[in-house]
Amino acid sequence: MDPRVVTAPGSRAGARQWLGLAVLALPTLLLSVDATVLYLALPHLGADLQPSSTQLLWIIDIYGFMIAGFLVTMGTLGDRIGRRRLLLVGAALFAVASVVAAYSTTAVMLVGARALLGIAGATLMPSTLALISNMFHDARQRGLAIGVWAACFSVGVAAGPLVGGALLEWYWWGSVFLLAVPVMLILLATAPVLLPECRDTEAGRLDLPSVALSLAAILPVIYGLKGIAEGGVAVLPLASMVLGVLFGVLFARRQRRLSDPLLDMRLFANRVFVGALTALLVGLAVVGVVYMLVTQYLQLVAGYSALTAGLWLLPSAAAMIISSMAAPVIARRIAPGLLVGIALGVSAVGYFLLAIVDSRDGVGLVVTGLVIVYLGVGPLMALGTDLVVGGAPPAKAGSAAALSETSMEFGLALGVAVLGSVGAVVYRSGMTDSMPVGLPPEAVDASRDALASVVAVAGDLPGQLGTPLLDAARRAFTDGLNVVGAVSGVLTVVIAVIAVVLLRDTDTAGAADGSDGGPEAEVTDAEASAAMSPGEPSRR
């Protein structure tokens, strides 16, 4: 680590560091905007590329899977080659992949581009947090800086529907991907000037077999789950899941043998750590798929434009911003574990409201339900990482924070894959029972695939066929939303109870203001690395 470009331990950051924080806010904001605008673009790219329901799910969730799979690896790689250097490489790759995604001509091409975006995103997320920790050593300034970093996600969620809706109102669906290009160009131009370079010169080598084993464990399991949801129980999906589990066992065994593992398995012996991580995983899994379905409901069922749908989504984003900012203050009086459980209970109410939405006049109930859902998601997002880090030994705080990000990204992608597939099964079942007689073969195929495909072909059919087909598809889609809402509500209630039990007796002050569960002042990356080994941990 070059001491000339990093603030001295215990010193207060100056103008350069705060300008650097503004630079780091760019990729953070973009990643959250990128996630939300895609959902608004689904009907448009669905009509253009006409992906199957399986391809549509892969377009959405391959991004999160790649981020989740590579987060820990990229964080470790940044320690070795330099965190600013990794950030710049990731920014360049993200810009190139965004252009490829914008001009994709097939669904398969878009899936590949989204996979590259996920790998690039995995380089950006750990690099930003690591650089913040190197730039801000004063405890209060560091807390404020991390708070600004975290708030960017909520702001991105709020801005995403508006920005995406405006772009889709005037341009084609690929414009939502091109939004990343100027942002990354600004990052590439300013980061070398405003951001320090830092690396851990004593870090262990990157264990490539562990990287391969982690991906070999995750991807086959997801493929198997999606295959069963798409075509029922079959040999290939089951074999894929078994293969993934076997690789997962091999991965865990290898981590226990390594002196410098990719993932320290001993962290999972801590009750608070596991409880917080589970709450983040399940909480983000259900909210991710519900957000996807609600955006499609507003456009394909209610018939709103992308911009109008974005405006309807604004109240829920505002609710999350308010609750996430209020959560640390409330946590000074209420134990964070109990607060997380209460927040999840609030979200469950919103999910159950979505379970009774109607396809004809359900917009008000959909918006109200989503607002309540996001009101509970805010405290979970704000306190979850603090609880994960606080539930781990101080020497493992950095690894615990990386796992927190991984669980959130993997949860979002897993929810879309599993619960999204459940919604697709309900939709196809409903269309099988209510499909109008006399449809041409291409309309029959479209009706069994996805609602976006029905909207694309219904306008070309005679009125006596097109209108009944569209009404039936909207009812079937809403039935899928109802089932997903009910399942999400039940899962959230269960995880709320588990969170209250596992997170009991958590330290209120530490979670509220960051005074506990994290190192106090960074000295050098070498000392931080030494703290990862057995013995007395160094305090950062």
Side-chain angles (χ1 to χ4, degrees), residues 31 34 63 66-67 93-99 101 112-122 177 180:
L31 289 174
D34 188 67
Y63 174 78
M66 291 295 101
I67 285 184
L93 178 60
F94 202 96
V96 172
S98 296
V99 174
R114 290 279 292 169
L116 289 177
L117 284 171
I119 295 174
F177 293 107

Side-chain angles (χ1 to χ4, degrees), residues 335-517:
L338 178 60
L339 183 55
V340 168
I342 293 173
L344 288 168
V346 170
S347 289
V349 174
Y351 291 127
F352 287 129
L353 288 180
L354 295 175
I356 59 174
V357 167
D358 184 76
S359 62
R360 293 189 177 274
D361 54 359
V363 172
L365 194 57
V366 163
V367 174
T368 301
L370 195 63
V371 166
I372 296 174
V373 166
Y374 272 64
L375 196 64
V377 170
L380 176 64
M381 292 285 292
L383 301 176
T385 300
D386 278 341
L387 288 171
V388 169
V389 175
K396 302 296 183 183
S399 297
L403 283 173
S404 174
E405 291 184 0
T406 302
S407 69
M408 288 188 287
E409 288 295 331
F410 186 71
L412 287 169
L414 186 63
V416 172
V418 178
L419 292 178
S421 297
V422 170
V425 169
V426 174
Y427 168 82
R428 287 193 297 272
S429 176
M431 288 305 296
T432 301
D433 298 335
S434 59
M435 193 179 303
V437 179
L439 291 174
E442 61 272 14
V444 172
D445 292 338
S447 65
R448 291 172 177 169
D449 196 19
L451 177 56
S453 300
V454 174
V455 172
V457 302
D460 299 329
L461 298 174
Q464 67 272 20
L465 292 177
T467 301
L469 175 62
L470 192 56
D471 289 342
R474 285 170 171 167
R475 286 194 301 270
F477 179 87
T478 305
D479 289 343
L481 173 62
N482 296 154
V483 171
V484 171
V487 173
S488 298
V490 172
L491 288 174
T492 304
V493 168
V494 172
I495 203 62
V497 174
I498 293 175
V500 171
V501 173
L502 294 181
L503 303 179
R504 65 184 183 276
D505 303 326
T506 48
D507 179 30
T508 304
D513 55 32
S515 61
D516 197 35

Side-chain angles (χ1 to χ4, degrees), residues 195-428:
L195 299 180
E197 181 59 284
C198 49
R199 62 177 61 88
D200 185 354
T201 58
E202 297 184 9
R205 65 181 180 84
L206 180 65
D207 187 57
L208 294 180
S210 292
V211 175
L213 285 172
S214 66
L215 293 176
I218 293 173
L219 296 182
V221 171
I222 300 305
Y223 174 82
L225 289 172
K226 290 168 65 66
I228 290 175
E230 176 72 17
V233 178
V235 174
L236 182 59
L238 287 176
S240 177
M241 294 176 65
V242 171
L243 183 64
V245 171
L246 290 176
F247 277 118
V249 172
L250 293 175
F251 174 79
R253 292 181 62 181
R254 183 173 181 83
Q255 302 316 293
R256 291 190 177 98
R257 293 198 306 266
L258 294 175
S259 59
D260 189 18
L262 193 67
L263 176 61
D264 191 342
M265 305 302 294
R266 293 174 297 179
L267 290 171
F268 294 95
N270 186 290
R271 169 175 57 83
V272 173
F273 178 87
V274 172
L277 208 62
T278 304
L280 285 170
L281 178 68
V282 178
L284 272 294
V286 293
V287 77
V289 67
V290 164
Y291 187 88
M292 177 192 74
L293 294 176
V294 166
T295 55
Q296 293 183 71
Y297 179 94
L298 292 174
Q299 294 180 83
L300 301 178
V301 177
Y304 292 131
S305 67
L307 180 58
T308 303
L311 292 172
W312 277 110
L313 293 170
L314 192 57
S316 59
M320 187 172 72
I321 293 174
I322 293 172
S323 64
S324 62
M325 293 178 64
V329 178
I330 299 174
R332 296 170 185 169
R333 299 182 179 275
I334 301 177
L338 178 60
L339 183 55
V340 168
I342 293 173
L344 288 168
V346 170
S347 289
V349 174
Y351 291 127
F352 287 129
L353 288 180
L354 295 175
I356 59 174
V357 167
D358 184 76
S359 62
R360 293 189 177 274
D361 54 359
V363 172
L365 194 57
V366 163
V367 174
T368 301
L370 195 63
V371 166
I372 296 174
V373 166
Y374 272 64
L375 196 64
V377 170
L380 176 64
M381 292 285 292
L383 301 176
T385 300
D386 278 341
L387 288 171
V388 169
V389 175
K396 302 296 183 183
S399 297
L403 283 173
S404 174
E405 291 184 0
T406 302
S407 69
M408 288 188 287
E409 288 295 331
F410 186 71
L412 287 169
L414 186 63
V416 172
V418 178
L419 292 178
S421 297
V422 170
V425 169
V426 174
Y427 168 82
R428 287 193 297 272

